[in-house]
């Protein structure tokens, strides 16, 4: 059959070089080459085929995931892929499984909290996957409140061992991925008790299963927590429960970089700040921010291509109907999501740099930037995952009824992604951590200590509290200085208002409790400012490629002005802008939509996602949607027979009205 590109006309409209944009999206030519090569390597391997996931039974789905995971590991070794290439291969495999937690949390925990001796012993095994690890922190009754964990690790000086115990049902470890059926080991977080004293939560390396027959060790109760939301989706992952019955481990299996227990049972704290306990979470959260852009970009790619293919209404004389993407209502919902995908991509790049910088500083015992890194990763994890999960669902609705089909790729994408709003910290709780950081920063403004990093704008508090926006016409909203000042003024004024209101309470914790909603909004405003500022910094920098800079600027200001429009109440109530300036921003926003319209399909092509990775009939590169929808429909097991099972038992008697009378 001759291949027809139904989106060719759309691609011919592009006013920029798509290949150049692909490099910008990837971050560098090298990163693009790696991503492009590995994605196609996965797409062309039949073992990674994924079109039948929705109709697989749980056990079949799980076993298939094991097969793919082991195949991926073999490929990484046989092809001698680098760490970067291995990460890409696992991501393009596109199936949640035990590899995610082993490499994403278990190994980083060992690196961040283990001593050199512990790393030498355990990392050598983990890196060869001779042991498979997970990260057992969350408990049945305790999630984001790490300090509330109940599992205990009591030191027994007679045997030089820790006794790990689950004292209550709510202390059961609950949710760790890879724990249910696969992991041989776990980094377990428990309350350290020596000589009757509770020293708080610490990490321990615990073997869970025999390395000979994989059976749970005596004193260990472990299993899978059951089916989760959606077909396929996260049900390929063995999220698990874990209980300990006075389970003993050697003393040297306590992760001792931050603190240790001596042979005599003496607790010795390190000079390293306790915040470093959360180093693994900081690492994971910055990864989650980067993943948000990828997930949102997938949904936007599907919705954009399908919006260009789909035609609906608009014809008065029986002629061709209007492309859905040409409707202003569609653009108003879709293009801010397109802009958000790019915005999250660039703030993710910056966050990786920040984490790397903090890590280098920690190696030299410089902990000055750790609080900001913790606040940034917490706040941006919260903001980007909430926006992405909402954005995926919006993209489903943008695709009309067909978006509800599993083969659209959007239902499963949503089901896989939405737990990001609660894992590694509930999003509201994380914003409250940011709020505490902001309140502390505001309280120090008069001390002579100049704010730095993402709060540097607070150093200009006197100006930002008094200034009025100088926007006079719609085009002024394309001035980076004017946009940034409006966002800075809003963020600062909301934070200062919260601080002033807190000061009215004699008990600060009571005040914090009463003002939770306001504090979350202030934290969100600060995080949105970070994303806007990093996007502006990106587009104002050196960007190569024909027409690329112009398109990125359009997206940058769509993102900023969309936020301004969405949160106009905050901007008005803080006097950061006037109603007239808000109206001008909306006018400029509509103008930007018109400029993005001819470039929309090319802008999602720049993500360079294969059809295999997208997993969507609606988002196919060639736009050949309708014949493929029929193909997918005919693959469903219900269509294996013309007359369904159960016809003779239920349908025929109903139609013929041949029911046996019940005997009373």
């Amino acid at each position: 059959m001759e291949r027809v590109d139904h989106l060719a006309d759309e691609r011919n409209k592009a006013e920029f070089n798509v290949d150049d944009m692909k490099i910008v999206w990837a971050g560098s030519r090298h990163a693009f080459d790696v991503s492009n090569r590995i994605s196609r390597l996965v797409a062309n391997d039949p073992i990674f085929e994924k079109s039948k996931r929705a109709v697989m039974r749980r056990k079949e789905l799980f076993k298939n995931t094991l097969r793919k995971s082991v195949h991926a590991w073999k490929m990484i070794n046989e092809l001698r892929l680098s760490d970067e290439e291995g990460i890409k291969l696992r991501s393009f495999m596109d199936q949640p499984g035990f590899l995610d937690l082993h490499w994403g949390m278990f190994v980083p925990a060992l690196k961040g909290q283990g001593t050199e001796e512990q790393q030498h012993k355990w990392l050598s095994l983990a890196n060869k996957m001779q042991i498979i690890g997970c990260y057992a922190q969350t408990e049945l009754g305790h999630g984001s409140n790490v300090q509330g964990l109940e599992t205990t690790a009591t030191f027994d000086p007679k045997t030089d061992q820790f006794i790990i115990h689950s004292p209550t049902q709510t202390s059961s470890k609950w949710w760790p991925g890879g724990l249910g059926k696969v992991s041989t080991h776990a980094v377990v977080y428990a309350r350290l008790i020596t000589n009757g004293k509770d020293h708080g939560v610490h990490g321990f390396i615990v073997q869970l299963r025999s390395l000979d027959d994989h059976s749970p060790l005596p004193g260990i109760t472990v299993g899978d927590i059951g089916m989760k939301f959606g077909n396929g989706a996260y049900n390929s992952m063995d999220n698990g429960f874990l209980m300990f019955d006075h389970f003993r481990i050697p003393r040297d299996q306590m992760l001792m970089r931050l603190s240790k227990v001596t042979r005599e049972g003496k607790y010795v704290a390190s000079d390293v700040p306790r915040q470093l306990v959360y180093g693994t979470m900081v690492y994971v959260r910055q990864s989650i921010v980067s993943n948000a852009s990828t997930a949102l970009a997938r949904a936007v790619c599907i919705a954009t291509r399908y919006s260009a293919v789909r035609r609906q209404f608009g014809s008065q004389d029986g002629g061709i109907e209007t492309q859905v993407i040409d409707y202003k209502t569609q653009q108003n919902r879709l293009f801010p999501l397109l802009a958000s995908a790019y915005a999250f991509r660039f703030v993710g790049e910056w966050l990786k740099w920040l984490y790397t910088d903090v890590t280098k500083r920690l190696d030299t015992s410089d902990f000055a930037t750790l609080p900001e890194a913790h606040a940034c990763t917490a706040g941006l994890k919260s903001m980007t995952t909430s926006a992405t999960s909402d954005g995926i669902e919006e993209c489903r609705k943008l695709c009309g009824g067909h978006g509800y089909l599993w083969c659209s790729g959007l239902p499963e994408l949503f089901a896989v992604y939405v737990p990001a709003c609660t894992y590694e910290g509930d999003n509201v709780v994380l914003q409250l951590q940011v709020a505490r950081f902001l309140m502390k920063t505001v309280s120090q403004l008069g001390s002579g200590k100049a704010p730095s990093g993402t709060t540097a704008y607070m150093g200009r508090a006197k100006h930002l509290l008094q200034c009025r926006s100088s926007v006079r016409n719609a085009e002024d909203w394309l001035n980076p200085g004017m946009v940034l000042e409006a966002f800075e003024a809003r963020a600062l004024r909301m934070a200062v208002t919260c601080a002033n209101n807190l000061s009215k309470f004699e008990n600060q914790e009571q005040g914090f409790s009463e003002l939770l909603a306001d504090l979350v909004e202030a934290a969100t405003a600060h995080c949105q400012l970070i994303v806007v500022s990093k996007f502006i910094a990106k587009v104002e920098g050196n960007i190569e490629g024909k027409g690329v800079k112009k398109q990125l600027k359009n997206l940058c200001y769509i993102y900023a002005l969309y936020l301004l429009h969405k949160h106009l109440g905050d901007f008005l109530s803080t006097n950061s802008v006037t109603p007239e300036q808000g109206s001008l921003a909306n006018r400029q926003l509509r103008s930007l939509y018109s400029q993005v319209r001819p470039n929309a399909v090319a802008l999602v092509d720049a993500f360079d996602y294969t059809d295999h990775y997208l997993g969507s009939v609606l988002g196919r590169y060639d736009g050949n949607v309708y014949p493929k929808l029929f193909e997918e429909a005919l693959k469903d097991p219900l269509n294996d027979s013309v007359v369904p099972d159960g016809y003779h038992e239920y349908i025929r008697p109903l139609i013929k009205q041949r029911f046996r009378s019940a005997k009373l």
Side-chain angles (χ1 to χ4, degrees):
M1 181 182 294
E2 182 182 357
R3 176 177 172 138
V4 179
D5 189 346
H6 296 273
L7 294 171
D9 289 343
E10 288 294 323
R11 295 186 170 106
N12 289 334
K13 297 175 184 176
E15 301 165 336
F16 67 99
N17 186 294
V18 178
D19 289 337
D20 291 336
M21 186 69 83
K22 288 179 180 179
I23 294 171
V24 173
W25 173 262
S28 67
R29 163 62 73 175
H30 168 75
F32 166 72
D33 289 340
V34 169
S35 180
N36 184 272
R37 181 167 56 85
I38 299 298
S39 67
R40 281 148 182 80
L41 183 69
V42 172
N44 293 325
D45 191 320
I47 290 183
F48 293 125
E49 197 274 335
K50 59 183 184 179
S51 64
K52 298 179 181 178
R53 286 195 302 211
V55 296
M56 286 183 175
R57 294 181 180 273
R58 178 82 196 284
K59 284 188 175 181
E60 182 185 8
L61 177 68
F62 178 68
K63 188 175 181 180
N64 187 47
T65 303
L66 297 183
R67 174 174 173 253
K68 290 182 178 181
S69 298
V70 172
H71 181 64
W73 176 245
K74 288 180 179 178
M75 286 182 68
I76 289 170
N77 284 279
E78 290 173 0
L79 298 177
R80 297 185 179 182
L81 301 183
S82 65
D83 289 345
E84 177 189 12
E85 291 168 328
I87 291 171
K88 284 292 183 183
L89 190 146
R90 293 193 295 271
S91 68
F92 286 125
M93 187 176 77
D94 191 36
Q95 189 146 333
F98 69 89
L99 290 177
D100 301 347
L101 281 300
H102 177 85
W103 294 109
M105 298 193 73
F106 181 70
V107 169
L110 296 178
K111 290 179 178 178
Q113 298 172 42
T115 63
E116 289 186 11
E117 293 80 8
Q118 289 175 322
Q119 289 184 35
H120 178 74
K121 175 182 178 180
W122 296 103
L123 283 177
S124 61
L125 296 171
N127 287 335
K128 297 174 185 176
M129 297 208 74
Q130 293 174 328
I131 62 173
I132 300 171
C134 66
Y135 188 86
Q137 176 174 289
T138 299
E139 295 178 354
L140 181 60
H142 303 275
S144 299
N145 181 20
V146 177
Q147 298 309 315
L149 297 180
E150 296 180 81
T151 304
T152 57
T154 305
F155 182 63
D156 178 4
K158 294 180 182 179
T159 60
D160 196 27
Q161 294 175 323
F162 286 107
I163 304 170
I164 312 294
H165 186 60
S166 306
T168 64
Q169 189 175 54
T170 53
S171 70
S172 307
K173 296 299 179 183
W174 193 275
W175 274 115
L179 170 64
K181 293 295 176 183
V182 176
S183 295
T184 62
H185 290 68
V187 170
V188 174
Y189 288 87
R191 311 196 71 81
L192 171 62
I193 299 172
T194 63
N195 300 316
K197 183 177 180 181
D198 187 333
H199 297 282
V201 175
H202 291 68
F204 301 83
I205 304 168
V206 182
Q207 182 172 348
L208 307 176
R209 294 178 167 96
S210 165
L211 294 178
D212 293 323
D213 63 8
H214 207 61
S215 59
L217 299 180
I220 298 283
T221 301
V222 62
D224 187 272
I225 63 173
M227 287 288 287
K228 290 146 315 233
F229 182 75
N231 288 351
Y234 236 92
N235 290 301
S236 58
M237 177 76 81
D238 56 325
N239 298 89
F241 63 80
L242 171 65
M243 292 195 77
F244 300 98
D245 183 6
H246 300 91
F247 184 77
R248 291 176 175 268
I249 63 170
R251 176 174 56 88
D252 64 5
Q253 286 182 213
M254 170 184 168
L255 290 169
M256 294 192 184
R257 180 184 176 189
L258 307 178
S259 54
K260 64 181 180 180
V261 173
T262 67
R263 176 65 183 84
E264 297 72 30
K266 181 181 179 181
Y267 178 77
V268 181
S270 166
D271 293 334
V272 177
R274 288 295 300 162
Q275 297 99 310
L276 208 60
V277 172
Y278 304 110
T280 303
M281 285 192 290
V282 171
Y283 168 79
V284 171
R285 287 169 183 166
Q286 64 90 21
S287 300
I288 291 173
V289 173
S290 295
N291 292 340
S293 71
T294 301
L296 184 55
R298 287 176 70 174
V300 169
C301 185
I302 294 167
T304 300
R305 287 176 178 170
Y306 181 62
S307 294
V309 169
R310 181 73 172 184
R311 293 179 178 272
Q312 198 84 25
F313 306 115
S315 174
Q316 303 299 323
D317 55 3
I320 192 167
E321 294 179 282
T322 301
Q323 288 173 279
V324 171
I325 199 170
D326 283 329
Y327 288 105
K328 299 300 180 183
T329 49
Q330 192 83 349
Q331 295 176 14
N332 188 56
R333 296 161 63 195
L334 177 60
F335 292 169
L337 297 176
L338 173 59
S340 297
Y342 276 89
F344 296 168
R345 188 71 166 188
F346 299 139
V347 80
E349 286 181 0
W350 169 77
L351 211 52
K352 285 182 180 179
W353 170 86
L354 177 67
Y355 178 77
T356 301
D357 180 68
V358 168
T359 303
K360 289 179 180 178
R361 290 172 181 267
L362 293 179
D363 290 340
T364 60
S365 299
D366 178 359
F367 309 110
T369 58
L370 188 58
E372 181 189 23
H374 186 265
C376 280
T377 52
L380 291 173
K381 181 271 179 186
S382 172
M383 195 203 84
T384 57
T385 56
S386 291
T388 296
S389 59
D390 291 345
I392 294 170
E393 169 60 7
E394 185 69 7
C395 285
R396 182 193 67 79
K397 291 185 284 190
L398 283 164
C399 291
H402 295 336
Y404 193 64
L405 287 169
W406 185 88
C407 67
S408 76
L410 293 166
E412 186 178 38
L413 179 59
F414 180 78
V416 168
Y417 190 79
V418 75
C421 294
T422 44
Y423 64 54
E424 299 316 307
D426 174 85
N427 281 356
V428 173
V429 174
L430 291 182
Q431 288 295 21
L432 291 173
Q433 293 178 12
V434 178
R436 288 190 182 276
F437 174 72
L438 293 178
M439 294 304 98
K440 182 178 180 180
T441 304
V442 171
S443 70
Q444 296 174 339
L445 288 179
S447 67
K449 182 180 179 180
S452 60
T454 57
T455 58
Y457 68 97
M458 290 188 173
R460 296 182 288 110
K462 184 176 181 180
H463 168 73
L464 290 174
L465 289 172
Q466 297 175 350
C467 70
R468 295 291 181 268
S469 176
S470 56
V471 168
R472 295 290 179 267
N473 54 62
E475 289 72 26
D476 284 343
W477 281 119
L478 301 180
N479 182 309
M482 292 183 180
V483 171
L484 278 176
E485 186 173 79
F487 275 83
E488 288 172 347
R490 169 215 182 199
L492 178 69
R493 293 173 189 185
M494 292 178 73
V496 168
T497 297
C498 285
N500 289 338
N501 290 336
L502 274 175
S503 68
K504 298 174 184 177
F505 290 84
E506 291 185 9
N507 185 313
Q508 287 292 294
E509 285 307 310
Q510 180 189 358
F512 204 87
S513 179
E514 290 291 329
L515 298 171
L516 287 178
D518 293 344
L519 288 161
V520 168
E521 290 180 358
T524 300
H526 172 71
C527 292
Q528 288 174 347
L529 166 61
I530 294 174
V531 180
V532 169
S533 65
K534 299 309 173 187
F535 203 165
I536 287 177
K538 180 73 175 183
V539 301
E540 292 298 321
N542 294 323
I543 298 176
E544 297 181 357
K546 178 183 176 183
V548 169
K549 193 180 188 82
K550 179 182 178 182
Q551 297 307 316
L552 289 179
K553 280 191 172 184
N554 288 341
L555 292 174
C556 176
Y557 292 106
I558 283 178
Y559 180 74
L561 298 183
Y562 168 75
L563 288 180
L564 192 152
H565 176 69
K566 183 179 180 181
H567 299 279
L568 187 57
D570 290 343
F571 285 91
L572 293 177
S573 65
T574 56
N575 292 316
S576 302
V577 302
T578 65
E580 292 77 16
Q581 290 168 333
S583 179
L584 290 171
N586 202 32
R587 185 191 305 174
Q588 183 58 56
L589 189 57
R590 291 195 299 271
S591 174
L592 290 169
Y593 291 159
S594 296
Q595 295 179 54
V596 166
R597 165 62 190 93
N599 299 281
V601 169
L603 284 167
V604 300
D605 284 350
F607 302 148
D608 198 38
Y609 294 151
T610 62
D611 283 346
H612 172 272
Y613 184 58
L614 277 183
S616 170
V617 170
L618 304 187
R620 293 174 55 88
Y621 184 85
D622 64 11
N624 193 24
V625 170
Y626 301 120
K628 297 300 179 181
L629 281 173
F630 259 103
E631 285 184 22
E632 290 301 317
L634 294 174
K635 290 178 184 177
D636 193 280
L638 277 180
N639 289 318
D640 288 347
S641 60
V642 176
V643 177
D645 294 343
Y647 167 76
H648 292 286
E649 187 176 0
Y650 301 110
I651 300 175
R652 181 178 173 81
L654 175 65
I655 294 173
K656 300 299 184 180
Q657 296 294 299
R658 294 175 181 171
F659 299 108
R660 291 183 180 180
S661 299
K663 294 181 180 180
L664 298 178

